[in-house]
Amino acid sequence: MTVREILKMGDPRLLRFAKEVTDFDSDTLHLLVSDLLDTMRAANGAGLAAPQIGVDLQVVVFGSGEANPRYPDRELVPRTVLVNPVITPINDATDNDWEGCLSVPGMRGMVPRFTHIRYTGFDPYGDPIDRTVDGFHARVVQHECDHLWGKLYPMRMTDFSQFGFTEVLFPGLVDTQDD
Ligand code: NI
């Protein structure tokens, strides 16, 4: 179990376009995935991308597969390891919702995202993943994959009047979850 340091906004390693994985089912890739999952769980995150721990590869993890009592209204997102992802919006529909990020600690912002997407990619063994999703699942995937293209959620925001410190925006929220 290795919990890695999570890079914070301002670190230039978060702004790179990550490299594609070419070597599947390797010790290196499995170790990276293990570290990502350990780090995500330790930070209570909804997801985590390899660039956030300083690894310049197109690998993200997200979802828990379990109900989260703090988010009873949110749909379950299956625990997923996604390599070399491609996201295709199903249509132009977007919606706005609050997002946080482990690389932007203590803050929340209102971010527009595509409502319906198809995402494809591979698991760490090289087996294909192909899902069409919407809502929170679609939002998490877009947030995590953005880390692979060097984008942090504030770079997707359009209304900075809805950006601030979590403790101020949501004073009753003691235990928070970041993406
Ligand atoms: Ni993030």
Side-chain angles (χ1 to χ4, degrees), residues 4-66:
R4 306 272 293 262
E5 181 190 358
I6 297 174
L7 307 183
K8 294 191 180 76
M9 184 168 65
D11 191 307
R13 289 173 288 178
L14 290 169
L15 302 177
R16 297 183 292 197
F17 197 103
K19 295 184 174 67
E20 284 193 6
V21 170
T22 55
D23 197 10
F24 287 89
D25 199 16
S26 67
D27 290 346
T28 306
L29 182 56
H30 290 308
L31 192 61
L32 169 60
V33 168
S34 173
D35 284 0
L36 283 169
L37 291 171
D38 289 345
T39 306
M40 178 178 75
R41 278 189 287 256
N44 197 27
L48 192 66
Q52 291 181 277
I53 59 170
V55 176
D56 189 27
L57 287 172
Q58 292 184 18
V59 182
V60 299
V61 300
F62 54 84
S64 65
E66 310 170 342

Side-chain angles (χ1 to χ4, degrees), residues 36-118:
L36 283 169
L37 291 171
D38 289 345
T39 306
M40 178 178 75
R41 278 189 287 256
N44 197 27
L48 192 66
Q52 291 181 277
I53 59 170
V55 176
D56 189 27
L57 287 172
Q58 292 184 18
V59 182
V60 299
V61 300
F62 54 84
S64 65
E66 310 170 342
N68 187 326
R70 296 189 307 281
Y71 294 89
D73 298 333
R74 283 187 167 177
E75 71 197 79
L76 288 184
V77 179
R79 163 80 38 89
T80 303
V81 179
L82 184 62
V83 179
N84 297 351
V86 174
I87 293 177
T88 310
I90 301 296
N91 53 43
D92 292 337
T94 61
D95 55 22
N96 292 294
D97 205 351
W98 293 100
E99 293 188 14
C101 180
L102 295 169
S103 295
V104 192
M107 304 198 77
R108 288 287 188 282
M110 185 65 80
V111 186
R113 300 284 187 188
F114 290 109
T115 308
H116 303 275
I117 62 166
R118 176 186 179 195

